[in-house]
Amino acid sequence: MTDTRRRVKVYTLNEDRQWDDRGTGHVSSGYVERLKGMSLLVRAESDGSLLLESKINPNTAYQKQQDTLIVWSEAENYDLALSFQEKAGCDEIWEKICQVQGKDPSVDITQDLVDESEEERFDDMSSPGLELPSCELSRLEEIAELVASSLPSPLRREKLALALENEGYIKKLLEIFHVCEDLENIEGLHHLYEIIKGIFLLNRTALFEVMFSEECIMDVIGCLEYDPSLSQSRKHREFLTKTAKFKEVIPISDPELKQKIHQTYRVQYIQDMVLPTPSVFEENMLSTLHSFIFFNKVEIVGMLQEDEKFLTDLFAQLTDEATDEEKRQELVNFLKEFCAFSQTLQPQNRDAFFKTLSNMGILPALEVILGMDDAQVRSAATDIFSYLVEYNPSMVREFVMQEAQQNDDDILLINLIIEHMICDTDPELGGAVQLMGLLRTLVDPENMLATANKTEKTELLGFFYKHCMHVLTAPLLANTTEEKPSKDDFKTAQLLALILELLTFCVEHHTYHIKNYIINKDILRRVLVLMASKHAFLALCALRFKRKIIGLKDEFYNRYIMKSFLFEPVVKAFLNNGSRYNLMNSAIIEMFEFIRVEDIKSLTAHVIENYWKALEDVDYVQTFKGLKLRYEQQRERQDNPKLDSMRSILRNHRYRRDARTLEDEEEMWFNTDEDDMEDGEAVVPPSDKTKNDEDIMDPISKFMERKKFKDTEEKEVLLKTNLSGRQSPSFKLSFSSGTKTNLTSQSSASNLPGSPGSPGSPGSPGSPVSVSKSTSQMAAITTKGGLVGLVDYPDDDEEDDEDEEKEETLPLAKKAKLESS
């Protein structure tokens, strides 16, 4: 039998109920003669030594957790766990265990945990509960062992919890704690630590209510100070009574509320500081403790929310100019913690909570606080503002639009937020990043509401661009008055990058308002000054801003870019970057590639006519050669409007056909073609014989001549290009206002087969046509391929270039026939 080895870590549970790592190795399953059965074997990956050899016992309860853990008990108080690196390995070993035990691998536990031995089952039926030893100092060790032995079995844990509840056992234990402390009985105190910790792990609300009562909680904390694994006891009670001070920023008259606040703080301290962090294997071990804290916070928020006098006094003191700075800081910190507690509320209750704060005037209060000089107070106020914006941005928008009718721009709430973002003193701009995120949420149309008469989006954006945008862009405009940024230190660059990120967001989501602002204020030109920054991340932010604008394919933007020659800073940055293969190089090439692929005609012409000489030697990508090709195709179409109109006629005729007519004519085409071409006669429909064939064929033959020259040039370009290396663009940037390239072939049209003046031309009336049978067959095949393209596809109008290629593959006589149909 071949064993599949999987990488695992082996853990064992120690006496303190903590998992110890025994090493990393590879697990396999196989028959072990010494153990007389299928076993799990783990060999160390370092030296191949045996880390684990465990027989798969048919009666052992194996448990699979979190897809990569298998946990089981070998004997009393000896638990093992395998933590797999891969889920597949865990599944395979789990299937082997289930196969030995005759269980379905889909289960997460192979045995019922309450399925104990016959003797225990008999005891369970005969005795209603667990009998606890008498609570005496001399029996503390026995009690500790009983608690520890009951934890692995859910049934025994249940019985132990009931016994502790019914007999008032916890209070008796705490009395012994006082005796042990008075006698300095360290051994007894260590046993009490194990007992109280084990009671926590029973995870029972009824027991928590006893332990966390006013009379018991400090003694419980005292028991947890004497951890046997530590050489010296902790001073948790000293910290809670002397160091931690309860401050009533506004006097609380309700004694029940005050007691609940004290209790919640102490229980949170026990969870965070006193109890050891539960391991990943002890899932939900302290879930009831989390719930206890959660519901306490909900009660506190509810009781404070109902106390109108308390909240009225709070906001009155916050906005009172006579309140001293220290007192105001305490009030703001309290309000911040109050809002943090509200995150535990259900959505409907949280909505009522913020509505209450709004009615009490929290936003005007925040406006006053944000206008103060104290940085700590402003920081706390920012956190409170973030709670409001994240939960109900519409409430904030409504307030800022109302105050715009009464106040000057300088004291508007949003402008205060922008100013704090700009003036953030943190070297890493942590506060500015947070504020920028809040601004983006406020101006995001995706979370704006629509009403019956008008939309929130229209009102808010009109307000923002009229009253706030000039404040946001002020640092950008002040720093880009010259050809290079006037200040280019790291902090300034970070701030400008944040502003550009928000402006880029506006370009994507605001369209009309931001377009007017960018064009009227010449914002893009100022932004592109930052392409000369020494900080690459800022230059890339500027480039991303322009790329977002180009991506809209808006001709208003395109005309603005061309009029102001706003590709010049980008091309300069590209040339200055040289042959370095970095993000700047790739981002600039991608922008030009987008223009080529999307065939943005106005920008293509602008780039080639003004910057081609600077870009023509870049041959490690085909982007710029492709742009030149697009440009030449545009010029050809402009130079030959007669040819374009003829193609339009062909397409119009084609679209008017129905499917049945197409099939009949197609069949007649090939029948006639086969017979008549062999006889050496040109196929010209009677309706076409009266037309001036020369007028039709002359532009076609000229186009074919240019096409042939263009194809030859394309092949030469492709052969010339060396894709294996990158060439340094060692050329100077030169700009011309109107360079015009003419690639029309100088060869005579008469040299082309099928041109009007050549012998045997099907366009010359009366001239004989001599075509071999093989040529006829080839022509028929080509024609058939061309006719397939005549089906009326919905997007055919957008595929002009493809139409031209298909039409050019047709023999000239067939083109004449098509035109007649």
Side-chain angles (χ1 to χ4, degrees):
M1 173 179 172
T2 303
D3 294 332
T4 304
R5 297 182 177 272
R6 299 285 178 181
R7 194 165 185 264
V8 295
K9 277 186 178 292
V10 180
Y11 292 91
T12 58
L13 195 67
N14 62 27
E15 293 178 354
D16 298 324
R17 309 284 307 162
Q18 299 293 311
W19 290 97
D20 294 332
D21 186 351
R22 295 300 183 186
T24 303
H26 291 86
V27 64
S28 62
S29 62
Y31 186 84
V32 176
E33 184 64 34
R34 182 175 62 81
L35 300 176
K36 304 295 183 184
M38 292 295 292
S39 304
L40 297 178
L41 305 171
V42 179
R43 294 195 176 275
E45 64 179 359
S46 56
D47 57 7
S49 61
L50 198 62
L51 293 178
L52 175 69
E53 186 180 58
S54 173
K55 181 182 177 181
I56 303 174
N57 194 312
N59 298 320
T60 299
Y62 291 85
Q63 189 173 3
K64 185 167 76 164
Q65 299 176 5
Q66 301 177 354
D67 290 335
T68 56
L69 292 172
I70 296 178
V71 184
W72 74 97
S73 297
E74 286 278 301
E76 189 173 351
N77 292 333
Y78 185 64
D79 292 356
L80 287 163
L82 294 179
S83 176
F84 288 77
Q85 182 173 319
E86 300 177 11
K87 179 179 180 296
C90 183
D91 291 342
E92 187 170 337
I93 295 300
W94 183 251
E95 287 178 10
K96 181 59 65 177
I97 293 170
C98 292
Q99 181 183 341
V100 172
Q101 294 198 343
K103 300 291 183 180
D104 185 351
S106 62
V107 301
D108 288 335
I109 187 166
T110 60
Q111 304 288 335
D112 190 354
L113 288 177
V114 299
D115 183 19
E116 311 204 5
S117 68
E118 292 291 333
E119 184 179 351
E120 287 179 320
R121 240 181 297 168
F122 178 76
D123 291 342
D124 294 340
M125 295 169 61
S126 60
S127 60
L130 190 69
E131 186 176 346
L132 293 170
S134 58
C135 196
E136 299 173 2
L137 179 59
S138 60
R139 305 191 69 176
L140 284 178
E141 183 176 0
E142 185 183 346
I143 298 169
E145 289 177 358
L146 175 64
V147 172
S149 64
S150 299
L151 290 175
S153 167
L155 186 61
R156 290 175 64 82
R157 284 166 59 186
E158 184 73 19
K159 287 186 175 184
L160 176 60
L162 288 171
L164 290 170
E165 290 174 36
N166 296 335
E167 300 180 22
Y169 211 80
I170 292 175
K171 291 183 178 179
K172 295 177 184 176
L173 288 170
L174 296 177
E175 290 173 6
I176 296 178
F177 166 71
H178 287 292
V179 174
C180 288
E181 268 203 323
D182 293 341
L183 298 174
E184 296 184 357
N185 186 339
I186 301 301
E187 185 181 358
L189 291 171
H190 285 171
H191 289 316
L192 281 167
Y193 172 89
E194 297 291 351
I195 293 167
I196 295 298
K197 180 185 166 187
I199 294 174
F200 268 97
L201 295 176
L202 292 176
N203 212 21
R204 294 277 292 195
T205 305
L207 296 178
F208 289 157
E209 288 175 355
V210 175
M211 290 194 293
F212 300 151
S213 63
E214 186 72 23
E215 58 181 317
C216 296
I217 190 166
M218 294 306 289
D219 290 337
V220 169
I221 293 172
C223 291
L224 294 172
E225 290 180 353
Y226 295 94
D227 186 347
S229 63
L230 301 176
S231 58
Q232 193 172 353
S233 64
R234 298 288 182 88
K235 304 295 182 184
H236 297 305
R237 285 173 295 175
E238 184 179 328
F239 172 82
L240 290 172
T241 54
K242 295 181 180 178
T243 307
K245 298 293 184 182
F246 176 63
K247 292 184 178 180
E248 290 184 75
V249 290
I250 302 289
I252 297 174
S253 56
D254 187 349
E256 184 184 352
L257 173 59
K258 194 181 295 187
Q259 189 274 330
K260 188 71 71 176
I261 292 171
H262 282 300
Q263 183 190 60
T264 305
Y265 175 78
R266 290 164 180 168
V267 176
Q268 188 85 56
Y269 181 83
I270 291 172
Q271 178 184 263
D272 296 340
M273 303 300 298
V274 180
L275 289 175
T277 304
S279 68
V280 294
F281 305 105
E282 296 171 324
E283 291 181 303
N284 302 320
M285 190 62 82
L286 294 173
S287 59
T288 306
L289 182 62
H290 300 319
S291 300
F292 188 93
I293 297 170
F294 172 85
F295 288 114
N296 263 21
K297 290 180 177 179
V298 170
E299 283 187 56
I300 292 169
V301 171
M303 293 167 79
L304 285 173
Q305 190 177 333
E306 293 168 4
D307 192 340
E308 290 188 9
K309 182 179 183 306
F310 179 87
L311 291 177
T312 304
D313 291 347
L314 172 66
F315 286 107
Q317 291 189 36
L318 267 176
T319 54
D320 188 356
E321 293 182 3
T323 305
D324 62 77
E325 292 301 317
E326 185 179 352
K327 177 70 171 178
R328 181 172 281 109
Q329 184 174 339
E330 291 175 355
L331 290 166
V332 173
N333 286 336
F334 169 80
L335 187 56
K336 173 185 170 182
E337 193 167 354
F338 190 31
C339 290
F341 268 38
S342 73
Q343 302 306 298
T344 62
L345 298 175
Q346 295 295 319
Q348 64 271 21
N349 296 334
R350 202 184 314 169
D351 191 40
F353 170 79
F354 282 115
K355 195 170 183 180
T356 300
L357 292 186
S358 177
N359 294 337
M360 288 290 176
I362 189 170
L363 286 168
L366 286 177
E367 198 168 32
V368 172
I369 297 166
L370 287 168
M372 296 177 178
D373 297 330
D374 193 323
Q376 288 185 330
V377 171
R378 289 204 311 267
S379 175
T382 301
D383 290 336
I384 297 168
F385 185 67
S386 69
Y387 285 123
L388 297 171
V389 171
E390 288 168 12
Y391 187 71
N392 195 346
S394 292
M395 179 181 75
V396 180
R397 292 190 196 106
E398 184 180 355
F399 171 78
V400 297
M401 286 187 287
Q402 286 175 355
E403 72 165 355
Q405 302 169 4
Q406 305 165 3
N407 299 335
D408 296 333
D409 287 0
D410 294 340
I411 58 174
L412 294 179
L413 179 59
I414 289 189
N415 284 347
L416 286 173
I417 295 295
I418 295 172
E419 286 170 12
H420 288 319
M421 183 182 86
I422 293 169
C423 302
D424 188 9
T425 55
D426 181 4
E428 299 296 326
L429 295 184
V433 172
Q434 181 187 13
L435 292 170
M436 193 276 291
L438 296 177
L439 281 174
R440 185 161 67 176
T441 302
L442 286 174
V443 299
D444 186 357
E446 296 296 323
N447 59 38
M448 295 185 185
L449 305 174
T451 59
N453 299 326
K454 47 183 121 176
T455 63
E456 185 181 31
K457 175 181 175 181
T458 304
E459 291 183 347
L460 189 280
L461 294 185
F463 157 81
F464 183 74
Y465 282 89
K466 182 178 179 181
H467 298 282
C468 307
M469 185 58 94
H470 67 280
V471 182
L472 178 66
T473 56
L476 171 67
L477 298 177
N479 208 38
T480 53
T481 53
E482 307 295 334
E483 291 186 1
K484 290 186 175 182
S486 54
K487 286 180 66 178
D488 204 18
D489 58 282
F490 180 70
K491 187 176 178 182
T492 303
Q494 274 189 308
L495 176 62
L496 293 177
L498 283 176
I499 294 171
L500 282 179
E501 186 178 341
L502 188 56
L503 290 176
T504 305
F505 177 84
C506 293
V507 168
E508 184 177 2
H509 292 88
H510 294 173
T511 58
Y512 168 74
H513 292 86
I514 190 68
K515 185 197 303 181
N516 284 345
Y517 190 81
I518 288 173
I519 294 175
N520 292 335
K521 302 292 184 182
D522 198 16
I523 294 295
L524 180 56
R525 184 179 65 80
R526 306 294 285 271
V527 167
L528 291 175
V529 170
L530 302 177
M531 292 285 292
S533 170
K534 66 182 180 182
H535 300 284
F537 71 88
L538 181 58
L540 287 166
C541 283
L543 182 63
R544 184 163 59 244
F545 179 72
K546 180 172 183 178
R547 174 65 177 80
K548 186 67 71 175
I549 289 174
I550 291 175
L552 297 175
K553 297 190 284 189
D554 187 316
E555 279 303 312
F556 284 100
Y557 276 132
N558 293 347
R559 285 197 290 271
Y560 162 60
I561 290 170
M562 292 185 293
K563 182 180 177 182
S564 303
F565 292 91
L566 295 180
F567 275 102
E568 183 172 339
V570 178
V571 175
K572 280 184 178 178
F574 182 68
L575 300 180
N576 292 336
N577 191 63
S579 59
R580 284 173 291 182
Y581 182 44
N582 52 20
L583 190 55
M584 177 65 73
N585 175 276
S586 299
I588 293 175
I589 289 174
E590 188 278 334
M591 185 173 71
F592 285 110
E593 181 69 11
F594 177 82
I595 295 171
R596 185 192 70 81
V597 171
E598 295 296 324
D599 195 16
I600 305 176
K601 294 179 173 56
S602 55
L603 295 184
T604 300
H606 176 76
V607 170
I608 296 302
E609 290 173 1
N610 293 282
Y611 311 107
W612 172 243
K613 291 209 177 286
L615 302 170
E616 62 180 339
D617 292 335
V618 180
D619 59 1
Y620 53 84
V621 290
Q622 292 302 297
T623 297
F624 302 108
K625 297 285 192 298
L627 269 177
K628 182 73 181 298
L629 195 59
R630 286 279 194 191
Y631 172 72
E632 290 165 357
Q633 290 170 349
Q634 292 174 26
R635 295 306 300 267
E636 285 175 1
R637 285 195 286 269
Q638 291 170 6
D639 292 344
N640 295 277
K642 191 172 181 181
L643 183 62
D644 267 359
S645 63
M646 187 195 69
R647 292 195 190 105
S648 176
I649 292 170
L650 290 175
R651 283 194 297 273
N652 289 340
H653 275 290
R654 180 171 69 204
Y655 290 152
R656 283 197 291 268
R657 296 180 176 187
D658 59 36
R660 186 178 62 258
T661 306
L662 181 63
E663 289 174 5
D664 294 341
E665 293 185 3
E666 194 173 356
E667 185 177 352
M668 191 171 72
W669 172 286
F670 288 110
N671 291 339
T672 307
D673 189 48
E674 294 278 347
D675 300 333
D676 294 353
M677 292 295 277
E678 288 180 9
D679 296 335
E681 295 179 5
V683 180
V684 181
S687 59
D688 282 353
K689 289 183 179 177
T690 58
K691 294 184 179 179
N692 187 342
D693 294 334
E694 195 165 350
D695 289 343
I696 296 174
M697 299 314 302
D698 184 55
I700 294 179
S701 57
K702 288 180 180 178
F703 176 79
M704 292 294 290
E705 180 180 313
R706 282 193 297 271
K707 179 68 176 174
K708 181 177 179 182
F709 181 84
K710 182 174 64 180
D711 290 345
T712 305
E713 186 191 52
E714 273 190 86
K715 289 177 182 176
E716 289 174 357
V717 168
L718 289 172
L719 289 171
K720 184 180 177 182
T721 304
N722 181 10
L723 296 177
S724 61
R726 298 178 62 82
Q727 180 177 332
S728 172
S730 55
F731 36 74
K732 294 183 179 179
L733 177 62
S734 61
F735 302 106
S736 60
S737 59
T739 307
K740 185 174 180 181
T741 307
N742 185 10
L743 290 180
T744 307
S745 172
Q746 300 301 315
S747 59
S748 172
S750 62
N751 295 332
L752 276 174
S755 61
S758 60
S761 169
S764 303
S767 61
V769 178
S770 176
V771 184
S772 68
K773 187 169 183 178
S774 61
T775 306
S776 172
Q777 290 170 349
M778 288 175 65
I781 292 169
T782 307
T783 306
K784 189 170 182 179
L787 279 173
V788 173
L790 298 179
V791 179
D792 183 7
Y793 290 108
D795 57 347
D796 228 352
D797 261 340
E798 300 171 12
E799 310 264 347
D800 289 349
D801 293 336
E802 293 181 15
D803 291 342
E804 290 162 18
E805 291 175 7
K806 289 176 183 177
E807 289 164 8
E808 286 154 16
T809 60
L810 293 171
L812 301 182
K814 305 254 173 97
K815 283 186 178 284
K817 180 172 180 180
L818 268 175
E819 200 256 354
S820 69
S821 62

